[in-house]
Amino acid sequence: MQVSSLNEVKIYSLSCGKSLPEVRRRIELIQDFEMPTVCTTIKVSKDGQYILATGTYKPRVRCYDTYQLSLKFERCLDSEVVTFEILSDDYSKIVFLHNDRYIEFHSQSGFYYKTRIPKFGRDFSYHYPSCDLYFVGASSEVYRLNLEQGRYLNPLQTDAAENNVCDINSVHGLFATGTIEGRVECWDPRTRNRVGLLDCALNSVTADSEINSLPTISALKFNGALTMAVGTSTGQVLLYDLRSDKPLLVKDHQYGLPIKSVHFQDSLDLILSADSRIIKMWNKNSGKIFTSLEPEHDLNDVCLYPNSGMLLTANETPKMGIYYIPVLGPAPRWCSFLDNLTEELEENPESTVYDDYKFVTKKDLENLGLTHLIGSPFLRAYMHGFFMDIRLYHKVKLMVNPFAYEEYRKDKIRQKIEETRAQRVQLKKLPKVNKELALKLIEEEEEKQKSAWKKKVKSLPNILTDDRFKVMFENPDFQVDEESEEFRLLNPLVSKISEKRKKKLRLLEQQEHREKEEEEEPEGRPSDAESSESSDDEKAWVEEVRKQRRLLQQEEKVKRQERLKEDQQTVLKPQFYEIKAGEEFRSFKDSATKQKLMNKTLEDRLKIEAKNGTLSVSDTTVGSKQLTFTLKRSEQQKKQQEAEKLHQQERKRLRRSAGHLKSRHRRGRSFH
């Protein structure tokens, strides 16, 4: 349960969720008091037992029983709900206005009947004496549906192009509708005639307000017989007495957002007006702010629980808001324990719920030897670490490090000594890396401070005190190399200044050494008599640049000679190349010609192939071109083909010799 206070008015949030660490004071007033995605409207039945809310997604209505502190039922709908009205004392008769022009009636058992209006509706009100439903929307007509006869009656014709909101006075039955032109039209339901017209757009403009567009009416609420509050789309709330066309009071929310809802709190003469960002409670007589409530998420609807200090909100988040303000009234009887709980909290005030807990990381747990507690109730996982009881933390830390008090005592003594030394003149403490650069920046800062006394100079941030450049004076990798070619060419006149700074550095190091030996800070500080002087003479600058270039050329010449000596001493070794399997090495010339051929265009390669006879181009009868390629054979294929030819020739020769032998044998037999 989170507590906020404004103007000494405490507001208790009962739906802040499971805040970490999970303290015992966390309260879940109504179970599952939420929607899947967004809650659009919320209302309380007249008997105070049921809370009904609509939301998405999917479109649905949920009914909560306050006596059971849980969900009673849930019904899914065909389309999103613009607004709804509870006609009975409980949930047995409900009317829903959908965003697709349908009007849906529900009974205690569920869906009962559905009908449709000609234009898209935005709001409706129920006139109890005549059982008429008045619908306003994207039309100049106000549609009337009589529930006793079950039919539509003649509509009321207004002078507006469209109507946004409407309300009916419960005392005398006056019907009022707010238009997009910033006017409020009042009608008498008995005669069906207009009896009054208020120009709220003109009256909402004050000397302090800034309005960029025409204010339209976004909220409307009656209180008693003569009081009416009107909210505009530009963030103003106008309080009217019906006997006058001038507002009694104009209250600006200063946010420029449309007013979502307006409620009256009679016991303290307060008006609760809400836009999508804030709920303001102010006195209706003086307009003085009583308190305000700014939730984390945007608001869609606000409902004040009757005769109590409880406030219900429908937000652009799944969780619906429950707030309890004891000053507005007592807690409802179904949660009367809130009064005793808030009294106990006021007697024992606590600044925050995190006071009794210590945040530790996993590394801290390893140092304390408490890694075995991960997953136990003693540790609550949160972000990249855990929350643990502060008493347990101190006890374990005392056991792990029994000399912590001695270290604490030494730190306190050191702080006292430093406080006394702060009154003396301080030495310049230079960093370990880039000392000359740091000294240069300190001198420039002193010069700026001196010039600031004479004329106003805009102060710029110092690199030494900027955390972004902190590593440059700590990490040796960022050390400026003064022997590099770039530094010597870009800073030809730095040598004289650097010599003076080096002298100053030596003086500072000597003073620091004396301080360490004597353990006392010497009075005074090193003299800054020698100031950095730079010559503006162009000839001196040119000579210095030429001198540096000559030095660089000489160094480069020496380096080249050393490289030549090294090259002469080195012995060249033969390099071996590996030939892939199946390939025959001919010469490097073939690979070069092949590479040149691959670099040529397709047209050039085709011409070369045509010359070699591996490509022929001919015209067909249709008129197109025909290309014929002769694939080149590799050396291995050529060898294989030659071997086959030799084999065939050998076989032919053997056959011939065998034929000669047979003929000779036949001749010999015939001779014998």
Side-chain angles (χ1 to χ4, degrees), residues 457-516:
V457 181
K458 187 177 180 181
S459 61
L460 298 174
N462 193 0
I463 296 178
L464 290 171
T465 58
D466 198 336
D467 293 337
R468 296 175 295 176
F469 303 96
K470 186 178 179 181
V471 186
M472 193 170 69
F473 301 99
E474 294 178 353
N475 193 346
D477 296 337
F478 291 93
Q479 178 67 43
V480 177
D481 187 8
E482 297 182 359
E483 299 298 328
S484 63
E485 180 181 352
E486 293 81 2
F487 182 85
R488 292 168 64 181
L489 286 176
L490 293 175
N491 301 274
L493 297 177
V494 177
S495 58
K496 295 181 181 179
I497 302 170
S498 61
E499 289 177 0
K500 295 179 181 179
R501 289 204 182 98
K502 286 177 181 177
K503 291 180 182 178
K504 194 174 281 189
L505 283 172
R506 286 195 292 270
L507 291 172
L508 290 173
E509 289 175 356
Q510 291 174 3
Q511 289 183 1
E512 288 179 359
H513 184 65
R514 291 172 190 170
E515 182 187 6
K516 290 179 181 178

Side-chain angles (χ1 to χ4, degrees), residues 508-623:
L508 290 173
E509 289 175 356
Q510 291 174 3
Q511 289 183 1
E512 288 179 359
H513 184 65
R514 291 172 190 170
E515 182 187 6
K516 290 179 181 178
E517 291 179 351
E518 300 175 1
E519 293 185 356
E520 290 184 358
E521 186 178 5
E523 296 292 335
R525 58 189 297 178
S527 175
D528 292 338
E530 295 182 358
S531 59
S532 59
E533 299 178 357
S534 59
S535 177
D536 295 333
D537 192 3
E538 187 177 356
K539 293 181 180 179
W541 182 82
V542 172
E543 290 176 0
E544 189 68 26
V545 171
R546 288 175 179 173
K547 183 179 178 181
Q548 293 292 334
R549 284 183 178 173
R550 284 196 297 270
L551 290 173
L552 291 172
Q553 289 175 359
Q554 291 176 2
E555 292 175 0
E556 187 67 25
K557 187 176 181 181
V558 172
K559 290 180 181 178
R560 285 199 300 269
Q561 291 176 357
E562 291 177 355
R563 288 198 211 99
L564 287 172
K565 289 180 180 179
E566 290 178 358
D567 294 340
Q568 290 174 1
Q569 292 176 0
T570 55
V571 179
L572 297 176
K573 297 180 180 180
Q575 294 182 355
F576 297 94
Y577 296 91
E578 183 180 357
I579 301 174
K580 294 182 180 180
E583 293 185 1
E584 182 182 356
F585 176 74
R586 293 182 178 179
S587 65
F588 291 104
K589 187 176 180 182
D590 295 339
S591 61
T593 54
K594 187 176 181 181
Q595 186 66 27
K596 288 181 181 179
L597 184 63
M598 293 301 295
N599 293 333
K600 291 185 178 182
T601 60
L602 179 62
E603 183 181 1
D604 296 336
R605 280 185 281 170
L606 291 176
K607 290 179 180 179
I608 294 170
E609 295 290 339
K611 289 180 181 179
N612 296 335
T614 58
L615 172 69
S616 62
V617 183
S618 60
D619 296 331
T620 61
T621 56
V622 185

